Amino acid sequence: MFFVDTLEFEGLGNRSYLAGGAAAAVVVDPPRDIDQVISAAARRGVRIAYVAETHVHNDYVTGGLELARVTGASYLVPAAAHVSFVRTPVADGDTVDVDENLVLRAIATPGHTPHHTSYVLEEDGRDVAAFTGGSLLIGTVGRPDLVEPRLTEQLARAQHASAHRLAAQLDDEVPVLPTHGFGSFCSSAQSEGDATTIGKERTSNDALTLDVDTFVQRMLDGLEDVPAYYAHMGPANAAGPAPVDLTPPRRADADEIASRLAAGEWVVDLRSRMAFAEGHVAGSFNFEGEGKLATYLAWLIPWGKPVTLLADTPAQIADAQRELARVGIDRPAAAATGDPASWVGEGEQLASFPRARFADLAQARERGDDVVVLDVRRDSERAGGYIDGSVHIPIHELHGRIGEVPHGTVWVHCAGGMRAAIAASLLDAAGRDVVAVDDGFDAAAEAGLSQTSG
């Protein structure tokens, strides 16, 4: 009997897969930190015989090259992908024997990238799983605009054709196992649900229910900004990523934290937004370790800028280090844990700012306080409704546009609180008076804050 194990990476919204039989397995789209893949194979008692990439990834650094080197596996990479390392090129229709009666078949599915390839696992000649990478996702497809702007429409049309090709070749009961679509910005729309099959997608996926022109126009109209760090992922993967180093970073004391801040480096506090607001090192930024740390930190930080991490425990530092390595932020310059009071010099005080609800904002407006409401949600979110009189600067643009925020106390909000906390820390570090609205956006209407739609 075959098996498929799913490795989830919630911070990036991606999945990798280990699939095989009694003795050997294939890994599809592995993460940078390959130790957990090796552990998964060890638990199964199987040898990793193949490592397969569906495409040269644009949203994370792959561990495929290193995993193949360490395990001796054959490294399957689409033949049309331009890479600088030795690999086993695969083209449409190619097959490899993974284990007894278990075959992996390549299907060319261009669209997310020009060379994108899906893989179908066959057991005794029957298709039992489709690893669709960034092609067919749950209720949507991978976005086509990450390679070259001039190719976007062409690739969108290719996505439509590739989805139909998969649907034509596979039976309804075949599970669809994508890499993207669980919060990843590689998805052209947010996926709904956790699992799907070819049959479900036939009835619910725009790529399979709409004509090509309608599908392409709808997809292109819905594309949003691409995380800035994506520009570095494709080249890193094509060049062949170096092995990841997850050894603990050097310990920073209060003097070193202060000197790194003075040098313009980033000091990132991984604690909860509640703890950060209560007391933090002035000038530090708050990216919760439990949130989408890699996505938002890598999106906002100037690429290559040294980063020092602060957290409650060494385990939180280790988790963050692993998460950041997946997007090419390989080594923190330093780290500190424990009591935040130890992160500042003797006699110095931690900085703080208030947190509030939308009801508090409504009361402040009623009192006539000098209030600036800053909305840091995405354009598509704001299109669904926004607070009258609010200023809109999406979170990923705020660091470079703080000077555009009007004078006054800034009440910053997003849809739930996480991005507002990041924004509040950026504003606080810039010397602005700030209130972090830690509330669901639905509560704005409940608090009587007038809103405009569209």
Side-chain angles (χ1 to χ4, degrees), residues 15-327:
R15 291 178 176 177
S16 299
Y17 300 94
L18 174 73
V26 58
V27 179
V28 180
D29 290 343
R32 181 89 180 278
D33 45 328
I34 62 173
D35 56 323
Q36 60 189 309
V37 181
I38 294 171
S39 296
R43 287 192 295 271
R44 282 286 185 180
V46 295
R47 174 177 61 91
I48 297 176
Y50 295 94
V51 177
E53 302 281 11
T54 57
H55 59 294
V56 174
H57 302 281
N58 287 290
D59 65 328
Y60 70 93
V61 180
T62 180
L65 183 63
E66 179 67 2
L67 181 60
R69 186 190 70 80
V70 167
T71 62
S74 296
Y75 191 23
L76 310 180
V77 178
H82 298 292
V83 296
S84 302
F85 48 82
V86 176
R87 88 290 197 197
T88 300
V90 292
D92 184 51
D94 286 352
T95 61
V96 296
D97 294 326
V98 176
D99 202 356
E100 186 176 358
N101 300 322
L102 206 59
V103 173
L104 193 72
R105 181 176 86 250
I107 301 179
T109 49
H112 187 49
T113 65
H115 59 265
H116 191 283
T117 301
S118 298
Y119 298 93
V120 176
L121 191 66
E122 304 173 10
E123 184 182 48
D124 294 325
R126 180 176 63 91
D127 297 336
V128 293
F131 302 100
T132 54
S135 183
L136 190 65
L137 311 184
I138 300 178
T140 184
V141 295
R143 59 192 299 166
D145 60 330
L146 302 180
V147 177
E148 161 60 52
R150 292 171 296 180
L151 296 178
T152 296
E153 182 174 347
Q154 175 185 329
L155 289 176
R157 292 181 178 277
Q159 278 289 52
H160 187 271
S162 291
H164 280 264
R165 186 172 194 215
L166 288 168
Q169 290 198 24
L170 302 173
D171 292 335
D172 281 352
E173 66 271 14
V174 175
V176 174
L177 304 173
T179 300
H180 305 312
F182 309 94
S184 168
F185 282 88
C186 268
S187 178
S188 62
Q190 289 309 302
S191 300
E192 295 185 5
D194 193 57
T196 192
T197 62
I198 287 291
K200 291 179 181 177
E201 294 308 303
R202 286 188 209 279
T203 62
S204 61
N205 196 305
D206 281 357
L208 295 172
T209 60
L210 299 177
D211 66 86
V212 63
D213 290 332
T214 304
F215 166 77
V216 168
Q217 191 59 55
R218 184 175 294 184
M219 189 205 298
L220 298 184
D221 288 345
L223 293 175
E224 299 195 75
D225 289 346
V226 177
Y229 71 91
Y230 277 25
H232 305 280
M233 299 297 96
N237 287 324
V244 66
D245 179 3
L246 295 177
T247 57
R250 56 174 288 168
R251 180 181 176 278
D253 59 16
D255 288 342
E256 182 171 355
I257 292 169
S259 67
R260 290 189 177 280
L261 282 169
E265 298 182 9
W266 278 37
V267 174
V268 172
D269 192 324
L270 302 168
R271 295 176 301 147
S272 73
R273 55 186 182 260
M274 294 75 77
F276 183 88
E278 186 174 322
H280 57 269
V281 177
S284 63
F285 302 138
N286 182 214
F287 291 80
E288 292 179 301
E290 297 299 316
K292 285 185 168 292
L293 169 66
T295 294
Y296 284 104
L297 178 55
W299 197 340
L300 271 65
I301 193 171
W303 198 249
K305 178 81 73 173
V307 59
T308 294
L309 301 177
L310 310 177
D312 291 317
T313 67
Q316 290 169 336
I317 297 290
D319 289 344
Q321 189 175 349
R322 181 179 291 271
E323 184 90 356
L324 294 175
R326 294 173 186 154
V327 293

Side-chain angles (χ1 to χ4, degrees), residues 392-404:
H392 181 225
I393 302 178
I395 183 63
H396 60 276
E397 299 178 10
L398 180 60
H399 189 244
R401 297 178 59 189
I402 285 180
E404 299 177 28

